[in-house]
Amino acid sequence: MNKTIKSILLVIGFGLLVYGVYTMFAPESSLSIGSLDITTQDNTNSYITIGLGLASIFISFIGGKSLN
């Protein structure tokens, strides 16, 4: 695999990983009624983004290595 492609996959992988972790901890919606504060979170997309980031990083490290 070309060194440029490996670098691009590595950068994209780290970007997806950071974005996935950010979306996991940032609240999606909140509701405040007086002293009551309610926040809801759906982490399904965060898990998918983190998984794609890890797969991209893994492919960038493994891709192109020969078995000789």
Side-chain angles (χ1 to χ4, degrees), residues 12-33:
I12 289 172
F14 278 120
L16 286 171
L17 190 64
V18 168
Y19 178 71
V21 170
Y22 169 74
T23 57
M24 183 177 290
F25 292 113
E28 290 183 2
S29 62
S30 62
L31 173 68
S32 295
I33 302 174

Side-chain angles (χ1 to χ4, degrees), residues 27-45:
E28 290 183 2
S29 62
S30 62
L31 173 68
S32 295
I33 302 174
S35 63
L36 180 65
D37 187 28
I38 301 170
T39 58
T40 60
Q41 187 94 12
D42 182 22
N43 290 333
T44 305
N45 291 336

